Amino acid sequence: MYGVDCDKGTGNSSLIPGTRISDCKMSVEWVKQNIHGFGGDPDRITISDQSCGSASVDYWPYAYQSEPLVAGLISHSGTALSFATNNRTTAAKHWYAVSVQLGCGSSGDVLPCMRKQNASAILAAASALKVPSTNPARKSPAFQPTVDNVTIFDNYTLLSQQGKFACILLTSTFFEQPYLVGHNSNEAGFYKIASYAQGSKLTDKQWDDFNMQTFFCPSNLEAAHRSRQHTPVWRFQYNADWENTRLYPSSRAYHGVEFNMIFGESAEITGIVGSDAQRQLKSQMRSAWGSFIADPQHGLQALGWPGYDPEASTLVGIGLDNHPSVSFVDTKDSARQCAALLAQI
């Protein structure tokens, strides 16, 4: 697997600085051209990321339908439906707001001037921008992916429903691009820290709606649409809460915590030795992720993971009640709630 950090993808606008989806594509192209030199297989590249970067992974098959380059996709806590985008007008407004603060002007090509500025000054100017937030649980950044209808689109729900995502060519046959997508049971456990620090106190229902609207429902919809298009798709929810991964007593399975299981450094960082159950679950998760990367089409099937079907018990529940196993959960009852919540975005 090769991972590209696309956390600050800003579309393809020449006005807007930052890492773009097209930059990520250049990185993957380099890997595909050179991975043989490192003993790798250019036909077995999987891209993966988390949060906003996870959304960038989901942007990929829509942007590169005819040239996907990669064999598989893994999204942790974020899809194309999870986070807001900027239109070009808003993106340019924010860009020029920063350039004015640094004395580079408010119109035209200010990039040569901006390139001469100190990076710390640019970051400080960008941080000073006040952006209205439509979601009290998550502050909207000034620079978000920008819709250009080339790499970033404004109608992902429709594109997903229509199956407008990439196919890959394997042994002279086209296959839909396999997708492993999931999230954690209490993503809000991470976001509450910043919210409380800013003096915002949301109700339990607001936090539950945030979990559903931003993570559960977008994953649910993207996986359901792929399932109906006969695309290989697996959907997971991580639930475990270990002593050496906890942020605070009630943080539970918060945003990003599952990477402690994939990379396995929690005991080294905290000095708290993991339990037998944690070590067993960690081994199972690593085996599952490794199986998908080795064979995105069939690897998880071989482990007994059913492909996601919105009409069956196929959501892979990982670590429920801290049990070192997976179980398969029904999501039919959540469809109506998700439809209502996603309509508010």
Side-chain angles (χ1 to χ4, degrees), residues 29 35 51 79 105 229 291 294 300 306 325 330 332:
E29 287 173 335
I35 198 64
S51 193
T79 75
Q229 294 290 337
S291 294
L300 290 176
S325 64
D330 193 309
K332 287 187 289 186

Side-chain angles (χ1 to χ4, degrees), residues 310-312 330-336:
E311 302 301 320
D330 193 309
T331 61
K332 287 187 289 186
D333 291 342
S334 63
R336 183 175 299 178

Side-chain angles (χ1 to χ4, degrees), residues 169-322:
L169 179 63
L170 296 174
T171 60
S172 301
T173 304
F174 281 100
F175 293 92
E176 297 291 347
Q177 197 170 48
Y179 191 33
L180 173 60
V181 56
H183 51 86
N184 301 327
S185 59
N186 186 41
E187 300 278 354
F190 170 81
Y191 288 93
K192 285 181 179 180
I193 296 174
S195 178
Y196 291 157
Q198 295 165 9
S200 175
K201 293 184 179 180
L202 278 62
T203 65
D204 288 344
K205 183 182 185 305
Q206 285 177 302
W207 283 119
D208 289 343
D209 286 351
F210 170 72
N211 281 332
M212 294 290 289
Q213 186 181 58
T214 308
F215 302 102
F216 184 97
C217 295
S219 295
N220 196 61
L221 194 61
E222 285 284 69
H225 286 163
R226 280 171 167 81
S227 174
R228 292 177 182 126
Q229 294 290 337
H230 307 291
T231 296
V233 58
W234 290 266
R235 182 166 169 242
F236 70 89
Q237 177 173 291
Y238 178 77
N239 304 276
D241 176 24
W242 311 108
E243 187 181 4
N244 62 9
T245 62
R246 204 169 291 143
L247 291 176
Y248 50 87
S250 61
S251 60
R252 308 199 318 270
Y254 57 86
H255 190 61
V257 71
E258 80 282 14
F259 277 98
N260 289 283
M261 306 297 283
I262 303 298
F263 297 110
E265 300 299 325
S266 52
E268 288 79 1
I269 292 171
T270 65
I272 302 172
V273 177
S275 66
D276 288 342
Q278 183 181 12
R279 287 192 291 271
Q280 291 172 35
L281 187 61
K282 184 187 302 181
S283 177
Q284 285 203 42
M285 290 181 66
R286 287 176 166 182
S287 177
W289 265 244
S291 294
F292 179 88
I293 292 164
D295 183 359
Q297 293 284 335
H298 308 105
L300 290 176
Q301 282 182 331
L303 292 182
W305 283 30
Y308 184 69
D309 178 350
E311 302 301 320
S313 298
T314 51
L315 169 64
V316 182
I318 301 175
L320 285 166
D321 298 320
N322 281 13

Side-chain angles (χ1 to χ4, degrees), residues 17 93-107 109-129 143:
K93 176 184 175 182
H94 292 169
W95 167 239
Y96 285 125
V98 172
S99 68
V100 165
Q101 290 186 62
L102 297 172
C104 290
S106 60
S107 63
D109 184 7
V110 300
L111 190 57
C113 175
M114 291 292 284
R115 282 176 170 161
K116 297 176 183 177
Q117 305 305 310
N118 180 276
S120 297
I122 294 175
L123 289 172
S127 298
L129 288 184
F143 295 100

